Amino acid sequence: MTILLLADHTNEALADATGKAVAAAKEIGGDITVLVAGHNCRPAAEAASKLEGVAKVLIADAPQFAHGLAEEVAPLLVSLAGSYKVILVAA
Amino acid sequence: MLLGLSDGGEPREMKLLVAVKRVVDYAVKIRVKSDGSGVELQNVKMSMNPFDEIAVEEAVRIKEAGSADEVVVVSIGPAKAQDTIRTALAYGADRGIHIATDDALVEPLAVAKLLKAVVDEEKPGAVILGKQAIDDDCNQTGQMLAALLGWPQGTFASKVVLSDGKVDVTREIDGGLETVKLNLPAVVTTDLRLNEPRYPSLPNIMKAKKKPLDAKKPDDYGVDITPRLKAIEVREPASREAGVMVESVAELVEKLKNEAGVLS
């Protein structure tokens, strides 16, 4: 089971919701890849890489992702989605 | 006042499309069916989804302010959804469309596909929806519709300000308020603080009976509304246990440590 998890974050740090989403992903079971889309979001990506159970972190760092707008993030997710069985996002 | 749309062409009529859903009234005490297959809907009071009332109210206010020419209301559901449309017409909407689905369960994706088909026909400058229905709490239709249309979205709106070819939407988010500026046409979903809906006057209720209401079916739009999801079980949340009175601070600390597990 390959899982793509969209991180909830402030660029500087991960939101609590992300850790909880990872816990949910572990219940589903399988390879967990976390996607951090933001601007100057390396700190959040590094925090994601330290979460227990996360196999890989994808980082999309560009000005258009600064505010997590659906119009920008959704096409990014769609472009990646084909390789995963589950897309997980905190509500 | 006519607002130009961002295609740079001739200013055309600004039409607003609003969708409304007939749901169990918010004040009803919900009962789960004994077989766990769903909630009891027989003889239960039904009303317009409260967030949809706010959507209709906002659309009518925009028209009254002169920034729109026509408000079209659509509802997807059984025959009684026509009553819901008539209520919206009594608020001041101009015309209704009922897409009849009998007792079929219609999921947000199917609703979004039907609304896209209506949008393709009606060509509104904006679609205003409630953020979610209070029966399923999905909070998906607006977002899905925006994605299907390739339109920008302003969800959880607590303020909507139209300007030439654009709309500023102030959104209620966890951290506070966020304002986004969208090019029209756009999808807006309403949150509680956007406005307080009016009580339609009796003359407006009577006028609403004469306003046009078109009867359609999903097949007219070529949309397959077959559900993709299956509800496995519906049950009540665990009941809340009674609180315990403690005799002393020491007892409170002991319980917080050993029973609640919130102190180490």
Side-chain angles (χ1 to χ4, degrees):
Chain A
M1 191 72 85
T2 48
I3 302 173
L4 179 64
L5 196 155
L6 179 67
D8 200 341
H9 66 92
T10 57
N11 295 311
E12 294 297 310
L14 288 180
D16 281 349
T18 302
K20 294 178 187 179
V22 171
K26 289 202 272 192
E27 299 259 333
I28 298 172
D31 278 334
I32 302 171
T33 298
V34 175
L35 170 63
V36 177
H39 193 218
N40 301 322
C41 57
R42 186 122 212 138
E46 279 173 16
S49 68
K50 299 201 181 95
L51 288 175
E52 201 238 297
V54 172
K56 193 152 73 161
V57 177
L58 300 177
I59 176 170
D61 195 322
Q64 67 264 31
F65 298 126
H67 300 290
L69 295 177
E71 291 83 346
E72 303 291 348
V73 178
L76 172 63
L77 274 172
V78 170
S79 72
L80 296 168
S83 319
Y84 300 89
K85 274 257 176 284
V86 176
I87 317 259
L88 198 60
V89 185
Chain B
M1 187 212 299
L2 299 174
L3 290 178
L5 297 181
S6 60
D7 64 359
E10 291 269 321
R12 357 185 201 123
E13 277 214 338
M14 173 60 158
K15 189 190 296 184
L16 296 174
L17 183 71
V18 180
V20 298
K21 186 181 182 186
R22 179 173 178 267
V23 297
V24 177
D25 185 84
Y26 77 92
V28 166
K29 175 146 177 45
I30 304 292
R31 254 176 269 279
V32 176
K33 285 195 209 165
S34 48
D35 64 0
S37 64
V39 300
E40 193 54 72
L41 293 174
Q42 294 289 343
N43 301 318
V44 148
K45 182 177 180 205
M46 306 290 276
S47 306
M48 189 187 302
N49 183 39
F51 296 108
D52 301 350
E53 291 180 329
I54 293 171
V56 176
E57 176 65 31
E58 194 64 17
V60 172
R61 286 188 191 187
I62 291 170
K63 187 181 78 156
E64 287 168 346
S67 300
D69 304 281
E70 192 186 19
V71 176
V72 180
V73 173
V74 62
S75 192
I76 297 155
K80 292 225 175 113
Q82 296 203 7
D83 296 343
T84 316
I85 296 172
R86 291 284 173 206
T87 303
L89 295 172
Y91 275 44
D94 300 289
R95 174 163 59 86
I97 300 171
H98 172 226
I99 305 179
T101 55
D102 302 321
D103 287 324
L105 182 65
V106 191
E107 290 169 356
L109 183 56
V111 172
K113 289 177 182 176
L114 283 168
L115 291 179
K116 175 182 186 300
V118 175
V119 165
D120 289 344
E121 266 185 21
E122 295 282 343
K123 304 194 193 331
V127 179
I128 309 181
L129 305 177
K131 70 173 181 180
Q132 66 198 53
I134 61 171
D135 52 6
D136 56 28
D137 276 351
C138 284
N139 195 310
Q140 295 168 354
T141 303
Q143 291 87 335
M144 286 174 165
L145 177 60
L148 290 173
L149 288 169
W151 285 11
Q153 58 187 263
T155 54
F156 310 101
S158 63
K159 191 166 170 199
V160 173
V161 180
L162 286 164
S163 57
D164 194 24
K166 291 189 199 290
V167 60
D168 283 11
V169 179
T170 300
R171 310 178 54 231
E172 304 212 14
I173 61 172
D174 284 351
L177 298 174
E178 171 190 75
T179 303
V180 292
K181 191 182 226 47
L182 315 174
N183 291 327
L184 294 177
V187 175
V188 173
T189 75
T190 67
D191 212 324
L192 221 43
R193 276 177 267 272
L194 178 57
N195 63 48
E196 219 180 285
R198 65 195 65 192
Y199 291 100
S201 65
L202 195 49
N204 281 328
I205 295 173
M206 299 310 293
K207 267 193 242 169
K209 293 186 206 252
K210 302 219 173 65
K211 292 183 180 177
L213 206 171
D214 288 334
K216 304 282 232 182
K217 292 188 307 293
D219 279 350
D220 296 340
Y221 298 102
V223 172
D224 172 14
I225 62 166
T226 314
R228 268 49 167 180
L229 304 173
K230 183 174 157 200
I232 295 174
E233 188 196 354
V234 176
R235 61 169 187 253
E236 293 210 5
S239 53
R240 209 179 145 185
E241 282 166 23
V244 170
M245 296 294 274
V246 294
E247 297 292 306
S248 67
V249 173
E251 197 186 339
L252 174 62
V253 170
E254 189 266 326
K255 282 193 190 292
L256 287 174
K257 261 194 207 169
N258 298 323
E259 286 178 32
V262 296
L263 286 182
S264 52

